Amino acid sequence: MKNPKETMSKMNPSKREFLKKLGALGAGTGLFAASPLASCDSPKKSVATDAGIPKEKFKVTFLQTTDVHCQIHPHDELYWEDGQTAFKKAGGYANLHTFIQEERAKSEYSFLMDTGDMFQGSMLSVKTEGKAIVPILNAMSYDLYLPGNWEVVYNKGPMQQLMGALHGSKVCANMYHDLGDGKRGELIFPPYFIWTVNGVKFGFVGYNDHLIPKRQSPGYSEGIIFTKPEENLAYYVDVLKNQEQCAFVGILSHTGLSQEIALSNNPACEGVDYIFGADTHERVRKPIQGKYAKVVQPGAFGSFLGKLVLEIDNGKIVGDEYALLDIPADKIKGSDRIAKIIDGVEAPYLEEISEVVGYSTIPLYRYFVIENPIDTMVTDALRWNMPDVDFVLSNGFRFCPPLVTPDQTGNIPITRGFIYDMLPVDSIVRRGEVTGQQLWDWMEKELNNVFAEDASKRFGGWVIKFNGMDVRFHAFGEENKRVESIMVKGAPLEMNKTYSISACEREGDPADVVCRMNNVKNVKNLDLTLHDVMLNYLAENSPVTPSPREAAVALDAPATLLTQVSGVDYEFR
């Protein structure tokens, strides 16, 4: 590959000046990113060698963040230590940038990537439809991005514009333009990326979760066709390994640790060295060895940084070392440059974001698979607003960092911004009627989404949340036979009885669908949103104490279960 500086020096002055101006224009406006040709390219990036002489022995460092969910400031974080929860301050893009720059300074060659969920998860992101996050990410100097499952939240066009506005390259091999009538168009993003150092190639292919239209509101991803990674993975591995002669092949994946482990054992993954995972916010401190590849995942919210160091000798990988690094907010001096950018984009919204709307007497978090204080507070609020409904439902969300720091009142302030952290999508509340049999069958399906023996069938979320209903189940039982009992308002579920339910509307769902439950009768959208529900409840009931009440109990797993993953050497901490 020609040295770009060399090429420029040989041009005549007028042409060289024109290209410099055009480059500046494109960088400032996103002009090139908007080009329809951009999605067809498979970009490559080379690192110049010392004095033009390639090294035979060197090390490369790959740094990974993921699932930051627009948590731009240091925040409370939960850790699992000695069998109990512990809370510390972590993250914040300014701190993360300082930490990354220090790591890059220690590295011979380094490559920084983010594997998705960059634009959803906070009030600032919602108010600006993700645009406020773009200058922060660009200042972080990422080399490569993968879109995550929530990148579609503002719909296809805005997703393309947000991703296109990022200076780093993008990669995803399973998101296609939907041409209508079941016809699949071109890939929206380049399928793979190659980084070259000292003549040695490192290839990356990217995959987003193919279940996005089912997991998120279907309307978000309208115009996009998703396919399973195994449909074309072997092809791209062959391209990278045999055609491009890459010494290393990595997958950037936003499919969840369970599905990533399943993929690492799939023959389609043969030839892959590492899967850099995302989506389920798992903290993999020691790579999980599959049959064909190692799997890692670096937590969430900017609280951690994944670091893989490869040792190269004569074009071959002779060693690899992985570490999950914590980002302790109280031990790092944040980058002034990043802090200034954050202050600028947040200033117009800061007063509203910081408004206190209620208090909690206990720490709020959402880390356990089965029940958590945040979700208890949400379902309590739904129930309080609709006392006549038999039971209410809330999705098994993962995002939202903990909130544990009290103010001068001695209680923990809940801000309007935190309402968005918990529930970034202010969905309309919907109610309807179902039979007991419908409810039982639906609960079996929801539990299988979380605990399916076949890891490739697991969704990225956790157990559905509810109030007014009590469920006893076997998490690791047989499919369609997990539920032991269901009680509604203290009485055993009757299969032929009709029950009233309430949950949020999902954009794009048919009128008879409530919380992924089909054929719901007498469905009605209320003049009430999830944020209305929370604000009404907190205004009348603060301070609240949303202690989980064991509405959902696994008979074969602890209430403190922190991961869906089993059968491998992994512990969340």
Side-chain angles (χ1 to χ4, degrees):
M1 186 173 181
K2 292 182 180 179
N3 186 317
K5 291 182 179 178
E6 232 177 85
T7 305
M8 287 288 285
S9 68
K10 293 178 181 178
M11 292 181 183
N12 64 64
S14 60
K15 185 175 182 180
R16 184 165 65 246
E17 190 62 29
F18 168 75
L19 287 177
K20 284 171 67 178
K21 290 179 180 177
L22 187 60
L25 175 64
T29 64
L31 177 65
F32 297 144
S35 168
L37 295 176
S39 65
C40 303
D41 296 336
S42 293
K44 303 179 183 182
K45 177 183 177 183
S46 295
V47 174
T49 56
D50 295 341
I53 303 172
K55 295 180 180 179
E56 290 188 357
K57 294 183 179 182
F58 59 95
K59 292 181 179 180
V60 294
T61 300
F62 298 106
L63 302 171
Q64 181 196 4
T65 61
T66 197
D67 293 284
V68 179
H69 285 287
C70 308
Q71 296 303 314
I72 59 178
H73 294 293
H75 52 79
D76 296 324
E77 187 57 273
L78 180 150
Y79 302 83
W80 190 247
E81 298 177 355
D82 300 322
Q84 59 185 1
T85 56
F87 297 99
K88 306 170 188 175
K89 291 287 186 182
Y93 269 121
N95 291 332
L96 186 59
H97 184 260
T98 294
F99 193 89
I100 287 171
Q101 292 305 102
E102 290 173 353
E103 288 296 323
R104 298 194 94 158
K106 293 187 289 187
S107 304
E108 199 171 358
Y109 303 97
S110 64
F111 190 87
L112 177 62
M113 49 197 174
D114 188 282
T115 46
D117 284 3
M118 298 164 279
F119 296 114
Q120 177 265 10
S122 75
M123 188 173 181
L124 177 65
S125 61
V126 172
K127 290 290 186 181
T128 64
E129 292 192 330
K131 296 181 182 68
I133 312 301
V134 170
I136 301 171
L137 292 174
N138 281 336
M140 295 287 291
S141 300
Y142 282 94
D143 296 296
L144 186 62
Y145 295 97
L146 172 76
N149 64 299
W150 279 105
E151 254 60 77
V152 300
V153 69
Y154 309 115
N155 303 122
K156 178 186 174 183
M159 175 200 70
Q160 291 178 272
Q161 292 172 356
L162 288 171
M163 295 297 295
L166 299 175
H167 296 165
S169 297
K170 299 84 184 173
V171 64
C172 190
N174 70 331
M175 294 176 70
Y176 297 85
H177 293 285
D178 185 350
L179 303 181
D181 299 322
K183 295 180 181 178
R184 194 169 76 187
E186 297 293 330
L187 284 166
I188 296 174
F189 303 101
Y192 63 84
F193 181 90
I194 295 173
W195 184 46
T196 305
V197 183
N198 291 312
V200 180
K201 293 181 178 181
F202 304 86
F204 300 91
V205 59
Y207 291 99
N208 204 347
D209 189 357
H210 68 282
L211 296 171
I212 285 174
K214 292 182 179 180
R215 290 181 57 193
Q216 267 86 267
S217 299
Y220 297 164
S221 52
E222 187 176 346
I224 305 172
I225 292 176
F226 296 85
T227 59
K228 294 181 178 180
E230 51 267 36
E231 287 191 21
N232 61 16
L233 175 57
Y235 168 77
Y236 285 117
V237 173
D238 180 62
V239 168
L240 292 171
K241 276 285 187 185
N242 299 316
Q243 176 178 306
E244 294 290 343
Q245 298 288 298
C246 291
F248 174 90
V249 173
I251 295 175
L252 301 193
S253 166
H254 199 100
T255 62
L257 189 57
S258 293
Q259 293 202 49
E260 286 149 6
I261 293 171
L263 187 61
S264 76
N265 292 309
N266 189 309
C269 201
E270 185 172 5
V272 173
D273 297 286
Y274 266 81
I275 298 177
F276 297 93
D279 178 56
T280 45
H281 303 187
E282 305 280 3
R283 302 169 186 177
V284 179
R285 297 184 182 273
K286 183 176 77 172
I288 299 169
Q289 180 65 67
K291 182 176 181 181
Y292 300 104
K294 293 179 180 179
V295 184
V296 295
Q297 206 176 112
F301 311 130
S303 302
F304 306 91
L305 179 70
K307 178 182 179 181
L308 173 65
V309 179
L310 299 180
E311 186 177 354
I312 312 300
D313 189 348
N314 199 27
K316 297 186 182 300
I317 299 171
V318 295
D320 63 300
E321 184 178 348
Y322 182 82
L324 181 64
L325 307 177
D326 296 83
I327 311 296
D330 56 351
K331 297 180 180 178
I332 300 172
K333 184 185 182 304
S335 162
D336 291 335
R337 175 171 169 245
I338 302 297
K340 184 176 180 180
I341 294 171
I342 290 172
D343 288 345
V345 297
E346 191 179 42
Y349 312 95
L350 187 58
E351 183 176 352
E352 189 178 2
I353 290 170
S354 305
E355 179 190 353
V356 175
V357 295
Y359 286 90
S360 174
T361 64
I362 64 172
L364 300 174
Y365 51 85
R366 196 184 246 161
Y367 270 95
F368 295 123
V369 175
I370 300 173
E371 285 189 331
N372 295 283
I374 284 179
D375 299 301
T376 299
M377 182 170 68
V378 172
T379 55
D380 283 353
L382 281 163
R383 187 87 172 147
W384 184 83
N385 277 264
M386 290 169 289
D388 60 319
V389 174
D390 288 325
F391 60 90
V392 298
L393 305 169
S394 180
N395 199 32
F397 295 123
R398 284 179 182 270
F399 49 76
C400 189
L403 187 64
V404 305
T405 306
D407 66 8
Q408 68 278 2
T409 68
N411 291 319
I412 301 165
I414 301 170
T415 62
R416 191 175 288 271
F418 192 72
I419 299 297
Y420 279 83
D421 291 347
M422 296 189 303
L423 302 163
V425 179
D426 189 17
S427 300
I428 295 171
V429 177
R430 172 176 280 190
R431 62 181 295 172
E433 296 174 348
V434 296
T435 65
Q437 186 67 62
Q438 278 180 280
L439 179 61
W440 188 286
D441 294 342
W442 170 81
M443 182 57 67
E444 287 283 8
K445 184 175 68 174
E446 286 293 316
L447 289 172
N448 197 62
N449 289 341
V450 181
F451 299 109
E453 183 177 1
D454 179 353
S456 66
K457 294 181 179 179
R458 294 179 201 157
F459 276 28
W462 285 329
V463 173
I464 198 78
K465 314 303 179 186
F466 36 83
N467 188 315
M469 179 169 66
D470 295 281
V471 179
R472 302 295 181 265
F473 64 94
H474 298 274
F476 302 104
E478 187 178 344
E479 185 174 355
N480 294 321
K481 295 182 180 179
R482 286 189 174 88
V483 177
E484 178 86 3
S485 67
I486 297 179
M487 306 281 286
V488 177
K489 298 174 76 172
L493 182 76
E494 297 179 39
M495 296 301 179
N496 296 321
K497 184 176 178 178
T498 296
Y499 295 92
S500 58
I501 69 170
S502 180
C504 62
E505 177 200 27
R506 300 183 344 136
E507 182 186 328
D509 267 344
D512 64 346
V513 173
V514 176
C515 205
R516 291 191 296 268
M517 197 183 312
N518 300 321
N519 302 315
V520 180
K521 304 298 183 184
N522 299 318
V523 174
K524 180 182 179 181
N525 283 353
L526 306 181
D527 187 21
L528 193 67
T529 70
L530 281 176
H531 288 192
D532 294 334
V533 164
M534 296 306 305
L535 294 172
N536 293 344
Y537 174 69
L538 289 170
E540 294 293 329
N541 295 277
S542 182
V544 296
T545 306
S547 301
R549 58 180 56 87
E550 297 187 343
V553 174
L555 302 174
D556 56 350
T560 55
L561 187 67
L562 282 157
T563 180
Q564 299 160 273
V565 176
S566 60
V568 295
D569 183 15
Y570 168 66
E571 178 187 5
F572 182 102
R573 56 186 178 85

